[in-house]
Amino acid sequence: MKDRLTDALYGLGWSTVKKLPEPVAERLGRTIADAAWKRRGKGVLRLEANLARVLPDATPQRLAELSRAGMRSYLRYWMESFRLPSWSRARIKDGVDVKDLHHLTDGLAAGKGAVVALPHLANWDLAGAWVTTRLETPFTTVAERLKPETLYDRFVAYRESLGMEVLPHTGGSAFGTLARRLRAGGLVCLVADRDLSASGVEVKFFGESARMPGGPAMLAQQTGALLLPVTLWYDGAMMRGRIHPPVDVPETGTRAEKTSVMTQALADAFATGIADHPEDWHMLQRLWLADLEPRPGGTAAGEPS
């Protein structure tokens, strides 16, 4: 019953919110965000705890202000996502501005392929739609297999409608398909600031240990593709982004050692963007190892995204 209700609510969002006048949708998003923030549920409390690591000197009042802004940013993501399929190409093109785009376009022009890795900042779906619209470049991504299956199907259909090829996170075949796309000079985009498998690479993130997926670094090593960190943020009605310089593959070390170094470089780039725009980091789940529940045997268990 819970799964059916969840699926129905998302379906209502995609069918109804996209039909609302934009000012009405924006007010609705803020109203829902403020109501959720006032309830002080576990998602809001976790967001504040995560922000406290980003800004360790922040007062409780400052953290509360940031978490409220963060919930508004998070609901803006959802309102935009529900409405994106109805946006014009001009609206998508004009709604995003990206700095240092040459890191991506030069790499793709050279036929090397590129892995774009980004954290849960601002609206990564809008960034993807901008890539397929403004750059006219298709790309492949990976999505967590949500429950119920009908909800996962909705997300896949939504992202495919924006021009993305979507592979399931589970099943074991995604890595091989991504590698083939990269060897053909293609583009792969992955949200990569939180490990979903509990078997990721340990990194230092804002001074404490966390795990992030090693897939982006391993793909770059195996295929020779560029590995590009990207960070996003909202700026009024616009969304802006920055493509950071490529992460180099170390010349020495084992594959695991190289993956560790490269994933740490991604974490450092993500931290820069998150510190600059903490209110746009939509991390309402546990992330740092110290916060994760121990599994039998001593390892830490993650949460569903």
Side-chain angles (χ1 to χ4, degrees), residues 42 144-146 194-196 284-286 301-305:
K42 66 178 183 179
E144 180 185 6
R145 190 175 285 281
L146 302 169
R194 183 169 175 266
D195 177 53
L196 292 174
L284 279 69
Q285 300 88 15
R286 294 184 176 104
E303 296 174 326
S305 180

Side-chain angles (χ1 to χ4, degrees), residues 170-223:
T170 56
S173 63
F175 188 92
T177 302
L178 295 174
R180 287 193 294 274
R181 300 291 184 269
L182 292 168
R183 290 193 185 100
L187 176 62
V188 166
C189 299
L190 301 169
V191 180
D193 58 342
R194 183 169 175 266
D195 177 53
L196 292 174
S197 66
S199 61
V201 177
E202 187 169 328
V203 296
K204 287 295 182 183
F205 196 52
F206 292 102
E208 292 191 45
S209 295
R211 271 196 302 264
M212 294 187 182
M218 289 189 287
L219 283 166
Q221 289 178 64
Q222 185 163 315
T223 66

Side-chain angles (χ1 to χ4, degrees), residues 232-269:
L232 306 169
W233 65 95
Y234 286 125
D235 181 12
M238 293 283 294
M239 187 177 78
R240 303 191 186 276
R242 177 189 174 199
I243 300 180
H244 298 251
V247 173
D248 293 330
V249 178
E251 294 183 359
T252 61
T254 65
R255 185 181 185 187
E257 289 168 344
K258 291 178 181 180
T259 299
S260 178
V261 170
M262 296 170 73
T263 306
Q264 182 63 61
L266 287 181
D268 293 342

Side-chain angles (χ1 to χ4, degrees), residues 46-58 63 66 208 281 288:
R46 175 51 52 193
L47 177 61
E48 284 188 13
N50 290 339
L51 290 170
R53 286 199 168 87
V54 174
L55 299 168
D57 296 329
L63 289 174
L66 274 176
E208 292 191 45
W281 189 38
W288 281 272

Side-chain angles (χ1 to χ4, degrees), residues 74-153:
Y74 183 49
L75 263 295
R76 175 175 173 174
Y77 161 80
W78 280 111
M79 291 295 131
E80 288 179 346
S81 295
F82 288 142
R83 295 171 60 78
L84 259 177
S86 65
W87 282 17
S88 68
R89 291 175 61 86
R91 171 70 186 279
I92 294 171
K93 288 180 180 180
D94 296 341
V96 180
D97 178 64
V98 178
K99 298 179 179 180
D100 299 323
L101 182 60
H102 65 92
H103 290 309
L104 175 59
T105 54
D106 290 353
L108 292 175
K112 299 179 64 174
V115 182
V116 164
L118 62 164
H120 287 81
L121 275 169
N123 192 335
W124 46 97
D125 286 329
L126 174 56
W130 182 85
V131 167
T132 60
T133 303
R134 173 68 176 80
L135 301 184
E136 297 183 345
T137 301
F139 67 89
T140 305
T141 189
V142 174
E144 180 185 6
R145 190 175 285 281
L146 302 169
K147 292 181 180 181
E149 191 74 14
T150 50
L151 178 57
Y152 172 76
D153 291 341

